[in-house]
Amino acid sequence: MCETVSGKPSVLFVCVHNAGRSQMAAAFLTHLAAGRVEVRSAGSAPAETVNPAVIEAMAEAGIDLSAEVPKVLTIEAVQASVVVMTMGCGDACPVFPGKQYRDWKLDDPAGQGVEAVRSIRDEIEARVRTVLADLLPVQ
């Protein structure tokens, strides 16, 4: 796995609104990596706020997203990342040589209640755990 200047692997999670899937994925990786990975999230068309059902579902998992704000996807964020995980943003994500791109097919939590968001959250957590194991193999 390639690393950034900081010596840490860097991951960018991208979805359309940066209000659900990418926020959950970034929060799980930040929590589980405990400072060993640079984590970013962004949206191709960011919403004004994080989805309230997402905030509630993540709080149930012990992660507080209430202060998070959706961020716009920038070329700089992609360039600064080694791995770019896309989730339904299609061709909006710029592609650069040398980056690893992975597309996660996940249901969109937009407009769904917390019950539906829980299953999306759990799927994202499982995928993030796999990514973390790939990024930081046991020595």
Side-chain angles (χ1 to χ4, degrees), residues 80-130:
S81 302
V82 174
V83 180
V84 180
M85 302 291 195
T86 59
M87 302 171 217
C89 59
D91 296 330
C93 188
V95 176
F96 293 97
K99 307 291 177 195
Q100 292 182 37
Y101 292 87
R102 299 179 194 168
D103 187 49
W104 286 358
K105 304 283 189 232
L106 294 162
D107 290 338
D108 189 345
Q112 299 198 49
V114 72
E115 293 79 19
V117 173
R118 285 183 188 117
S119 65
I120 300 167
R121 174 201 65 201
D122 295 345
E123 176 68 20
I124 289 171
E125 181 181 12
R127 291 181 187 208
V128 166
R129 287 182 182 278
T130 300

Side-chain angles (χ1 to χ4, degrees), residues 54-65 121:
V54 167
I55 292 171
E56 184 178 341
M58 290 300 286
E60 293 172 359
I63 298 175
D64 182 6
L65 288 182
R121 174 201 65 201

Side-chain angles (χ1 to χ4, degrees), residues 4-92:
T4 59
V5 175
S6 70
K8 299 176 185 178
S10 177
V11 178
L12 170 64
F13 294 99
V14 183
C15 66
V16 176
H17 300 296
N18 190 223
R21 295 167 290 188
S22 57
Q23 287 281 351
M24 288 189 283
F28 274 125
L29 186 55
T30 298
H31 176 74
L32 295 168
R36 299 173 293 164
V37 176
E38 290 181 12
V39 182
R40 297 175 181 81
S41 72
S44 54
E48 290 186 26
T49 61
V50 175
N51 179 331
V54 167
I55 292 171
E56 184 178 341
M58 290 300 286
E60 293 172 359
I63 298 175
D64 182 6
L65 288 182
S66 63
E68 292 299 321
V69 176
K71 296 165 282 305
V72 69
L73 175 63
T74 64
I75 290 172
E76 294 78 18
V78 177
Q79 289 176 322
S81 302
V82 174
V83 180
V84 180
M85 302 291 195
T86 59
M87 302 171 217
C89 59
D91 296 330

